[in-house]
């Protein structure tokens, strides 16, 4: 048995070792950069057909019509890049992912997202992020430059954070270490199917789950009040971590609670709980959100739509239920953003999932906003990210076409003004086999 354990440990270590991104982090920006002649999608304002975006020291210095180039003087250390026929967008933001928290699904040792215990609000996801994950360059290659990362596994598994997809360490990557509390809302629907248990059993289970959440918030509130009153209490990391989420904080101190809920009953129950306690709720998932738009709008509750690459939720649902959900929320005036259906390996599909929403009724500009500024607002980082504006972070991408189109490729990516190497394990494998077939004479280039 001991030998088997050693062998399994060696296999796990080898898998982890092979799953390392070997690209070095890019150095800080030196000098200025001017991207000239492309279509500039500011997101927060008008689209400029023949525009210029300039940045220095990692900050955007100019967003204007390209005609301004004849009226300004450039310093010798300014690099001018002709991007005629190309498009400039702010870096895309995947609001809910496990990037850096997992690598190989079949290897448990690479799973740093699933926290042990039912209530662990003291956990911060960002400290477990692996900056050398091979999944990060893959996501970057399709324009995703920022991501929300969140733990899972318990009723309150911890706190979500926001990272930039670049850096030597998790500290380098962290944009916001604490973006909000994660709360997995329990099912509040009794099972009416043929294999249902006794109705009383379901009702007891629902009451136990909801009471456990209420008691934990009550305990955290009582602890905070006692500490404020000067009580000599031992430090409780779990209860201390809850302070910004109790509804008693206000202004900058009030942080969102990201509540995972898909069913209509769950969403209504979760929003009602948040309203009663004065919490800033954000629904994550929200597959039935179109059924309760009036409640969501009245409570000013945003929704992080958990992707559009999904089957209909029910057997009698229309085939385009998931595709059209963003358009329905947009039409109802509900704040939302779109994250990917896949939380790790296929985060790269984010612009294509937004493109699916655009194909099924969402205005293209709104679809782009849902993966840029809309996500930045919900994650609390819109002051620096999500749109192309003077003074904001120079975190942006240059593409060959419409970012929502699957045929579009990325030509340049900048994070805080740093030029990002657009290679990944996948591009290396592509180049390897292109060379193989070139040597075999099957292809000529």
């Amino acid at each position: 048995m001991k030998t088997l354990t050693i062998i399994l440990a060696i296999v796990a270590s080898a898998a982890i070792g092979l799953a390392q991104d070997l690209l070095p982090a890019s150095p800080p920006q030196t000098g200025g950069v001017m991207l000239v002649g492309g279509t500039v999608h500011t997101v927060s304002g008008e689209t400029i057909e023949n525009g210029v975006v300039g940045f220095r020291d990692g900050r955007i210095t100019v967003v204007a019509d390209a005609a301004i180039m004849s009226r300004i003087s450039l310093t010798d250390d300014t690099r001018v890049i002709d991007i005629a026929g190309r498009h400039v967008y702010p870096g895309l933001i995947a609001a809910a992912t496990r990037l850096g928290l997992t690598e190989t699904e079949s290897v448990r040792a690479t799973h740093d997202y699933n926290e042990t215990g039912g209530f662990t609000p003291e956990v911060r996801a960002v400290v477990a992020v692996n900056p050398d994950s091979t999944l990060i360059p893959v996501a970057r290659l399709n324009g995703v430059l920022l991501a929300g990362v969140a733990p899972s596994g318990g009723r309150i598994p911890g706190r979500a954070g926001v990272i930039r997809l670049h850096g030597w360490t998790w500290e380098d990557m962290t944009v916001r270490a604490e973006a909000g509390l994660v709360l997995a809302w329990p099912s509040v629907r009794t099972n009416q199917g043929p294999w249902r248990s006794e109705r009383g059993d379901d009702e007891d289970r629902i009451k136990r789950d909801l009471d456990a959440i209420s008691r934990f918030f009550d305990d955290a509130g009582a602890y905070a009040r006692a500490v404020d009153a000067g009580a000599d209490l031992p430090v409780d990391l779990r209860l201390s971590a809850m302070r910004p989420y109790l509804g008693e904080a206000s202004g900058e101190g009030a942080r969102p609670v990201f509540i995972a809920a898909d069913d209509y009953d769950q969403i209504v129950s979760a929003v009602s709980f948040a309203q009663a306690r004065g919490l800033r709720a954000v629904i994550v998932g929200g597959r039935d959100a179109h059924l309760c738009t009036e409640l969501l709008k009245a409570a000013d509750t945003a929704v992080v739509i958990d992707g559009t690459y999904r089957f209909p939720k029910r057997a009698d649902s229309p085939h385009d239920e998931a595709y059209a959900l963003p358009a329905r929320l947009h039409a109802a005036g509900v704040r939302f953003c779109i994250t990917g259906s896949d939380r790790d390996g296929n985060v790269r599909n984010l612009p294509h999932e937004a493109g699916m929403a655009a194909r099924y009724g969402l205005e293209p500009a709104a679809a782009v906003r849902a993966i840029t500024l809309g996500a930045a607002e919900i994650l609390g980082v819109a002051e620096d990210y999500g749109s192309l504006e003077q003074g904001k972070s120079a975190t942006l991408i240059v593409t060959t076409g419409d970012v929502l189109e699957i045929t579009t490729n990325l030509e340049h990516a900048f994070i805080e003004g740093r030029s990002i190497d657009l290679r990944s394990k996948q591009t290396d494998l592509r180049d390897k086999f292109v060379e193989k077939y070139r040597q075999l004479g099957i292809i000529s280039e």
Side-chain angles (χ1 to χ4, degrees):
M1 184 65 183
K2 183 177 180 180
T3 301
L4 176 61
T5 301
I6 294 173
I7 291 173
L8 290 175
I10 292 172
V11 171
S13 298
I16 297 169
L18 291 173
Q20 296 296 300
D21 168 35
L22 301 180
L23 293 176
S26 300
Q29 181 185 3
T30 57
V33 174
M34 300 290 281
L35 305 173
V36 182
T39 301
V40 178
H41 301 263
T42 64
V43 179
S44 59
E46 296 295 323
T47 296
I48 306 171
E49 293 297 336
N50 179 29
V52 57
V53 178
F55 49 96
R56 179 179 290 271
D57 298 326
R59 290 281 163 179
I60 296 174
T61 55
V62 60
V63 179
D65 190 281
I68 197 175
M69 294 297 291
S70 64
R71 304 193 300 272
I72 60 176
S73 298
L74 301 178
T75 57
D76 293 339
D77 63 351
T78 299
R79 178 187 175 200
V80 178
I81 304 176
D82 182 359
I83 58 166
R86 302 299 187 249
H87 295 252
V88 188
Y89 295 89
L92 308 185
I93 304 173
T97 77
R98 297 194 302 224
L99 283 175
L101 301 180
T102 184
E103 195 67 39
T104 306
E105 188 62 34
S106 60
V107 180
R108 176 65 183 86
T110 71
H111 297 184
D112 284 328
Y113 59 84
N114 199 334
E115 193 58 41
T116 300
F119 293 85
T120 54
E122 71 278 13
V123 169
R124 291 189 301 162
V126 293
V127 303
V129 168
N130 172 20
D132 297 321
S133 168
T134 59
L135 303 182
I136 289 174
V138 172
R140 251 181 358 217
L141 192 58
N142 216 23
V144 180
L145 303 187
L146 273 82
V149 291
S152 60
R155 188 62 64 201
I156 297 181
R159 292 166 285 174
V162 183
I163 60 171
R164 57 180 70 86
L165 301 191
H166 172 274
W168 294 104
T169 66
W170 71 265
E171 292 94 339
D172 291 342
M173 299 175 71
T174 299
V175 172
R176 192 167 188 183
E178 190 171 340
L181 186 72
V182 178
L183 170 58
W185 202 255
S187 170
V188 293
R189 180 180 303 172
T190 56
N191 184 3
Q192 300 299 315
W195 306 107
R196 64 184 181 273
S197 58
E198 292 295 328
R199 182 177 179 85
D201 292 343
D202 271 350
E203 291 176 346
D204 288 345
R205 187 265 309 162
I206 293 169
K207 185 177 186 304
R208 283 195 307 271
D209 289 344
L210 296 179
D211 285 349
I213 296 172
S214 293
R215 280 197 307 273
F216 193 75
F217 273 84
D218 289 341
D219 290 347
Y223 178 82
R225 289 189 295 271
V227 170
D228 291 343
D232 185 17
L233 297 174
V235 174
D236 190 312
L237 295 179
R238 291 197 314 155
L239 298 182
S240 295
M242 290 291 292
R243 179 182 285 271
Y245 308 101
L246 297 175
E248 299 169 7
S250 60
E252 292 298 320
R255 295 174 185 165
V257 179
F258 295 102
I259 307 178
D262 275 318
D263 295 338
Y264 170 84
D265 317 64
Q266 281 183 300
I267 296 171
V268 172
S269 175
V271 172
S272 299
F273 174 85
Q275 284 186 301
R277 290 182 175 264
L279 308 180
R280 288 180 54 199
V282 174
I283 297 298
V284 180
R287 298 191 68 181
D288 280 346
H290 60 286
L291 301 177
C292 45
T293 53
E294 290 185 8
L295 172 64
L296 293 169
K297 187 175 180 181
D300 191 28
T301 299
V303 178
V304 177
I305 297 173
D306 209 1
T308 59
Y309 284 180
R310 293 186 177 279
F311 288 111
K313 190 168 181 289
R314 302 175 180 84
D316 59 350
S317 297
H319 78 282
D320 62 352
E321 180 182 55
Y323 311 151
L325 177 59
R328 291 178 175 179
L329 297 189
H330 182 65
V334 176
R335 293 188 298 117
F336 72 95
C337 71
I338 298 173
T339 193
S341 303
D342 193 317
R343 295 294 176 90
D344 36 59
N346 287 309
V347 171
R348 60 181 176 174
N349 286 331
L350 177 65
H352 306 152
E353 298 206 38
M356 182 66 80
R359 174 63 181 83
Y360 282 83
L362 186 64
E363 297 173 6
V368 172
R369 193 183 193 283
I371 53 176
T372 52
L373 187 56
E377 290 171 345
I378 290 172
L379 293 174
V381 296
E383 182 177 345
D384 287 318
Y385 303 96
S387 61
L388 299 178
E389 301 177 54
Q390 186 174 352
K392 280 196 170 186
S393 169
T395 298
L396 50 93
I397 58 176
V398 178
T399 66
T400 58
D402 185 341
V403 75
L404 302 178
E405 293 290 342
I406 201 168
T407 54
T408 291
N409 292 317
L410 202 67
E411 288 200 344
H412 300 281
F414 300 89
I415 297 180
E416 315 292 355
R418 301 167 186 252
S419 181
I420 303 302
D421 189 341
L422 295 178
R423 287 184 294 157
S424 70
K425 183 177 181 180
Q426 293 183 352
T427 61
D428 288 345
L429 287 171
R430 175 202 64 196
D431 294 344
K432 171 183 176 179
F433 289 102
V434 165
E435 176 61 17
K436 171 187 175 181
Y437 292 117
R438 187 193 66 78
Q439 291 182 16
L440 292 173
I442 297 174
I443 60 177
S444 57
E445 296 181 1

